[in-house]
Amino acid sequence: MPNRPKIAAITTIYHPYAHTQHIVDRFLEGYGWAGRHHHPPMDLVSLYVDQVRENDLSRDRAARFPGMKIYPTVAEALTLGGDSLQVDGVLLVGEHGEYPANEKGQRLYPRYELFREIVEVYEASGRSAPIFNDKHLSWNWDWAREMYDTSRRLGFAFMAGSSLPVTWRTPSVDMPLHAGVEEAVCVCYGGVDSYDFHGLETLQCMVERRKGGEAGVAWLHARRGEAFWEAWHDEVWSRELFEAALCRSHTLKPSRDGFNNIFPTINEMKRMVEDPVAYTYEHRDGLKCTMVLFNGLVEDFNFAARIAGRSEPLSTQMYLPMPPARTTLANFFSPQVNNVEQMFLTGEAAYPVERTLLTTGLTAAGVDSLHEGQVRLETPHLDVAYPAPENSTFWRY
């Protein structure tokens, strides 16, 4: 059909259950939305894949969808083999693939490098198009900041981040806009420089709605192992909020035999959670947040906050399908893709990229704090201030 936006996908790898499959397949195949099968009103016309392995899906997709062509370079995918930009939106999915790690344990996914290749085409063409960047912007803060600044300099819509802010919630509640948030906690699972980012996005999509909006972060202190339990005993974070978040988990492991009172004691948590990690940080307006990775006890993302004037914490879970369906179905990518569609159609970001700029910086600061001996780090560079959108965009269906 005429006048349908043309979309390019720039990816690291395209294998079963990779983020590329979950995102790009939805643009090709469609997905369930609002009680029916939804086909995006746009055409994914070009694809670049940085690494092709034995289980690659891109060749199969190109054969089944002849309107999409695989190109050998990023530039050719954006110009459709010509001399100037020929697409109206770009998916940048730089997650998964065989890339090295540095001495801090960060996986060096080439999101920044691929972004720079996209921008070179924009600058040579004299025009740009919206970009969606999956997950955090980069493992390198300076590069992440440059990506953000470049989007502002060239004037194109830019979205990024996790699917956690837009998935279902149980219960289906939101942080009241302009609420007086006093402290917040997320209890989740996963690794450092990977799922810690999802936990930070879980926190940020809620606390950014507080009175005054987001003000940036002044410092961060990461702890793991024995230092975590020392902070627990010192009540560095609210135990009430920790327990309120933990009570939302659908995957809480039974701490003892029997059907009654499976909520774990401190000794049971120490036995079940071998390597706990916490990032505690303070926003520039005084709000304190803590993200806890609690592998061995939970496998979901749970939030709680204390709000001025409320006697009970506000708590919810950012819902993901239970394992193993989480990997195979991954329905939480549907609201993310739907929001990306809206950006491609309107030219306006559906939610603020500043959220992910800040959580990118927090992820890097957490890694640095652990690497430097679990020290408190001042973060004057995380002076990322922005107002929250009135519509928080989480999935209510």
Side-chain angles (χ1 to χ4, degrees):
M1 295 179 61
N3 303 319
R4 284 169 61 91
K6 295 181 176 65
I7 308 302
I10 308 301
T11 74
T12 49
I13 200 164
Y14 200 161
H15 64 63
Y17 311 133
H19 280 209
T20 295
Q21 186 200 4
H22 288 307
I23 294 172
V24 173
D25 273 10
R26 281 171 164 78
F27 279 89
L28 294 173
E29 309 266 14
Y31 55 94
W33 190 253
R36 65 188 65 188
H37 195 79
H38 169 75
H39 286 279
M42 55 198 66
D43 298 314
L44 202 152
V45 297
S46 63
L47 175 68
Y48 168 80
V49 182
D50 193 50
Q51 296 183 350
V52 177
R53 300 289 185 251
E54 291 182 1
N55 59 349
D56 174 69
L57 295 174
S58 63
R59 274 56 187 171
D60 168 81
R61 299 306 189 262
R64 290 202 294 116
F65 296 93
M68 182 194 73
K69 182 178 179 180
I70 299 173
Y71 289 89
T73 68
V74 171
E76 289 172 278
L78 268 62
T79 62
L80 305 185
D83 298 323
S84 62
L85 181 67
Q86 297 296 317
V87 297
D88 306 299
V90 180
L91 296 167
L92 173 52
V93 187
E95 179 77 359
H96 301 120
E98 296 180 14
Y99 296 94
N102 63 16
E103 70 282 0
K104 301 176 186 178
Q106 293 169 301
R107 187 66 56 186
L108 307 184
Y109 291 120
R111 297 175 190 137
Y112 168 76
E113 293 88 340
L114 295 172
F115 179 89
R116 283 301 315 159
E117 292 189 55
I118 295 167
V119 168
E120 287 175 6
V121 173
Y122 288 3
E123 292 177 322
S125 302
R127 76 178 190 91
S128 58
I131 297 176
F132 171 74
N133 177 96
D134 182 43
K135 288 197 69 176
H136 42 313
L137 299 178
S138 173
W139 57 271
N140 181 308
W141 163 255
D142 291 333
W143 290 354
R145 183 74 209 201
E146 181 187 326
M147 293 167 73
Y148 172 80
D149 290 341
T150 298
S151 73
R152 293 300 178 262
R153 175 173 60 84
L154 296 182
F156 59 84
F158 193 25
M159 277 173 56
S162 167
S163 57
L164 273 294
V166 294
T167 190
W168 302 281
R169 295 177 187 172
T170 55
S172 184
V173 298
D174 203 358
M175 177 67 69
L177 194 61
H178 309 309
V181 185
E182 298 175 340
E183 185 177 356
V185 170
C186 173
V187 181
C188 55
Y189 79 112
V192 170
D193 192 47
S194 58
Y195 276 36
D196 51 356
F197 170 74
H198 291 304
L200 292 166
E201 289 257 297
T202 293
L203 278 162
Q204 189 58 30
C205 74
M206 299 294 277
V207 303
E208 70 186 13
R209 296 175 60 80
R210 68 190 182 276
K211 183 178 180 180
E214 182 50 57
V217 171
W219 59 263
L220 179 145
H221 192 167
R223 300 172 174 88
R224 77 185 314 163
E226 189 56 38
F228 174 96
W229 297 118
E230 291 174 3
W232 168 275
H233 286 294
D234 293 340
E235 299 192 41
V236 169
W237 53 85
S238 165
R239 291 190 189 177
E240 178 189 27
L241 293 181
F242 177 89
E243 293 181 358
L246 199 58
C247 283
R248 289 298 182 190
S249 174
H250 289 159
T251 61
L252 185 63
K253 302 297 187 296
S255 55
R256 64 195 76 91
D257 294 334
F259 297 97
N260 298 320
N261 190 23
I262 67 167
F263 199 83
T265 65
I266 179 64
N267 289 332
E268 289 165 338
M269 285 191 285
K270 287 184 176 181
R271 173 174 54 82
M272 299 173 72
V273 182
E274 295 183 357
D275 186 28
V277 175
Y279 297 171
T280 299
Y281 52 98
E282 186 174 293
H283 294 256
R284 291 157 68 93
D285 59 3
L287 169 65
K288 185 172 73 173
C289 293
T290 302
M291 186 281 306
V292 174
L293 296 174
F294 234 39
N295 295 312
L297 193 63
V298 300
E299 293 183 65
D300 42 24
F301 291 81
N302 308 283
F303 171 88
R306 184 171 62 250
I307 301 175
R310 293 180 59 137
S311 59
E312 299 291 332
L314 182 148
S315 64
T316 190
Q317 177 192 142
M318 276 55 177
Y319 178 76
L320 307 178
M322 294 299 100
R326 178 172 305 162
T327 301
T328 56
L329 296 178
N331 285 346
F332 46 90
F333 280 100
S334 293
Q336 187 178 46
V337 166
N338 195 263
N339 278 286
V340 176
E341 281 183 51
Q342 300 311 309
M343 178 182 68
F344 289 157
L345 290 171
T346 66
E348 300 289 337
Y351 44 82
V353 71
E354 288 85 0
R355 175 196 298 160
T356 303
L357 177 64
L358 183 56
T359 53
T360 295
L362 287 168
T363 303
V367 171
D368 287 344
S369 175
L370 292 173
H371 182 69
E372 295 176 24
Q374 304 183 43
V375 298
R376 169 172 156 159
L377 297 179
E378 304 301 314
T379 56
H381 58 289
L382 298 184
D383 57 343
V384 181
Y386 65 94
E390 290 191 17
N391 179 14
S392 65
T393 69
F394 76 92
W395 199 0
R396 292 170 172 84
Y397 292 106

